[in-house]
Amino acid sequence: MKVELFVPCFVDQLYPETAFNTLRLLEKSGCKVEYNSKQTCCGQPAYNAGYWDEAKEVGTKFLNDFTENTYVVAPSASCVGMVKGGFNDLFTNTIVHNKCRSLQSNIWELSDFLVNVAKKDYFGAELEGKAVYHDSCSALRECKIKDEPRQLLSKVHGLEMLEMQDTDMCCGFGGTFAVKFDAISSAMAEQKVNNALAQNADYIISTDLSCLLHLQGYIDKNKLPIKTMHIADVLCNGWLESTEY
């Protein structure tokens, strides 16, 4: 099937390997992937900060950068949630209303797409250690994703998945929240990381690099024996160089 790859702006700038791993997973699932190099942002930063006119301008470009009747897949539930939810505030009853609705119905977070559309949950990945999964607010509450990442991770060789306390609680990032309320944000990150450490986990895995960026910052600052990984990077870990995808 044909898929258009949406690489969120911060993934493009900070975690390009996750974008490439997303491509690898989609191709290994049998998808023909297209990437529009002119794409930029979905408008979420401006939207969350209250600058809806600016968010609408960026969102309009997003609507023009993707095809409304083709699957669009992104390694970020946060950005997918913005399109599925935030775009309602920006484009309902506008000239692009119908195009927006079509795109909203065809955009998918990566793990959701792999399990429910591509019908594939095994990729031959290997990762030794114990891990906990962090349910991001956007994945769980906006995109209704909970079981799909766990299903995928359960098939990773050598990886023992554990459930930490309050796995569905916010990590404290929340975009501008982390800037405006840094003390509260840091305390929430501390609680999340401590819950993971209580399980003797080696990794915190999630669908959202924004959450993982925040948590890794706390981990690095305090020199803690744990690291964060995006689910796409986990699912590609351990592939042989000769593996075709």
Side-chain angles (χ1 to χ4, degrees):
M1 68 186 79
K2 179 182 174 182
V3 169
E4 294 183 3
L5 176 60
F6 168 38
V7 179
C9 47
F10 71 97
V11 177
D12 177 64
Q13 294 297 310
L14 300 176
Y15 302 99
E17 189 59 29
T18 300
F20 282 113
N21 282 337
T22 300
L23 171 63
R24 294 180 180 108
L25 290 168
L26 290 171
E27 289 186 339
K28 195 167 187 179
S29 298
C31 298
K32 178 182 179 182
V33 184
E34 296 185 359
Y35 175 74
N36 181 355
S37 62
K38 295 182 180 180
Q39 64 178 268
T40 52
C41 177
C42 64
Q44 183 183 183
Y47 175 83
N48 287 345
Y51 294 97
W52 284 19
D53 288 340
E54 289 79 1
K56 188 173 183 179
E57 182 178 351
V58 177
T60 298
K61 182 182 185 304
F62 181 92
L63 292 176
N64 290 329
D65 285 339
F66 293 93
T67 307
E68 58 190 285
N69 295 316
T70 301
Y71 289 120
V72 177
V73 179
S76 171
S78 176
C79 296
V80 171
M82 169 63 189
V83 175
K84 284 184 172 294
F87 275 25
N88 289 336
D89 294 321
L90 303 179
F91 299 113
T92 296
N93 295 328
T94 67
I95 194 172
V96 294
H97 177 100
N98 290 337
K99 182 174 183 178
C100 178
R101 291 293 178 269
S102 295
L103 189 52
Q104 284 176 316
S105 65
N106 284 308
I107 190 167
W108 294 76
E109 181 275 329
L110 176 64
S111 68
D112 194 10
F113 179 85
L114 293 176
V115 172
N116 294 315
V117 180
K119 306 296 183 182
K120 187 172 178 64
D121 62 6
Y122 176 72
F123 294 91
E126 298 180 3
L127 181 64
E128 292 291 333
K130 298 179 179 180
V132 294
Y133 176 75
H134 162 60
D135 290 284
S136 75
C137 297
S138 295
L140 187 62
R141 296 173 178 84
E142 294 182 343
C143 300
K144 312 302 180 186
I145 298 168
K146 183 175 179 65
D147 296 332
E148 291 84 357
R150 290 171 170 83
Q151 180 176 334
L152 290 161
L153 293 170
S154 71
K155 303 294 180 68
V156 177
H157 295 288
L159 186 63
E160 180 182 357
M161 291 301 302
L162 305 165
E163 286 292 327
M164 63 176 163
Q165 181 180 350
D166 299 328
T167 182
D168 58 349
M169 288 186 64
C170 181
C171 69
F173 178 63
T176 55
F177 178 86
V179 178
K180 294 180 178 179
F181 305 100
D182 60 316
I184 300 174
S185 175
S186 297
M188 294 172 73
E190 178 183 16
Q191 182 181 43
K192 180 68 67 171
V193 173
N194 284 343
N195 286 342
L197 290 171
Q199 296 293 327
N200 295 315
D202 302 298
Y203 307 99
I204 300 174
I205 302 170
S206 185
T207 57
D208 282 82
L209 281 166
S210 50
C211 298
L212 299 178
L213 172 69
H214 180 58
L215 294 175
Q216 190 65 53
Y218 177 83
I219 290 168
D220 292 343
K221 180 179 180 181
N222 293 280
K223 298 181 173 61
L224 299 173
I226 193 170
K227 67 177 293 186
T228 59
M229 289 187 72
H230 188 276
I231 190 169
D233 301 324
V234 175
L235 296 177
C236 286
N237 197 69
W239 289 8
L240 297 176
E241 291 184 2
S242 59
T243 299
E244 296 183 1
Y245 59 85

